[in-house]
């Protein structure tokens, strides 16, 4: 990634085409779910802030894309729905060709 990425557009410009397409789709889903959300870069990943609090974020690595619910409990609370994805306590990894379903993203945002 670029050293000092300032916008999500700059962040996306630095990732591969397939990841960019998957993350753009995720970005649209997030913006549709929370229309008043502000885009920002937080800890080097694309993030979305509402009322000053970071709500969710996403990123790209060499092997996968990642969705960050920005809550320590969201992933654990939705483990059944996330069983087909690799997860950590605070992130959900997915392949660009198998993005997270929009309905699931909306549910995770609302959580």
């Amino acid at each position: 990634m670029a050293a000092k990425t300032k916008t999500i557009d700059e962040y996306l410009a630095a990732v591969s085409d397939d990841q960019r397409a998957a993350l753009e789709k995720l970005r649209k889903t997030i913006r549709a779910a929370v229309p008043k959300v502000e885009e920002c870069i937080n800890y080097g990943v694309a993030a979305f802030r509402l009322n000053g609090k970071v709500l969710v974020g996403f990123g790209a690595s060499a092997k996968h894309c990642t969705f960050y619910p920005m809550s320590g409990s969201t992933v654990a609370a939705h483990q059944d729905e996330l069983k087909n994805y690799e997860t950590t306590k605070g992130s959900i990894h997915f392949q660009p060709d198998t993005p997270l379903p929009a309905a699931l993203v909306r549910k995770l945002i609302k959580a």
Side-chain angles (χ1 to χ4, degrees):
M1 290 301 120
K4 285 286 182 190
T5 306
K6 290 180 175 58
T7 67
I8 291 180
D9 288 329
E10 287 176 17
Y11 182 91
L12 290 171
V15 304
S16 67
D17 290 346
D18 58 338
Q19 288 179 322
R20 185 176 316 112
L23 294 175
E24 278 287 7
K25 187 175 176 190
L26 184 55
R27 181 187 198 182
K28 283 187 179 91
T29 301
I30 293 165
R31 293 193 65 81
V34 189
K36 293 187 166 122
V37 79
E38 290 175 67
E39 294 187 348
C40 62
I41 298 294
N42 189 49
Y43 293 107
V45 298
F48 298 83
R49 195 171 27 225
L50 187 63
N51 302 324
K53 184 177 185 293
V54 176
L55 194 61
V56 295
F58 62 69
S61 72
K63 295 187 171 139
H64 55 259
C65 294
T66 306
F67 178 67
Y68 301 98
M70 301 296 184
S71 155
S73 60
T74 302
V75 173
H78 294 85
Q79 257 178 338
D80 287 347
E81 292 149 295
L82 298 170
K83 66 181 176 290
N84 297 328
Y85 301 96
E86 189 179 319
T87 60
T88 66
K89 185 178 177 192
S91 67
I92 302 154
H93 304 270
F94 62 95
Q95 295 305 313
D97 58 352
T98 53
L100 296 171
L104 178 59
V105 172
R106 285 191 295 272
K107 187 182 273 192
L108 294 169
I109 291 169
K110 285 180 179 23

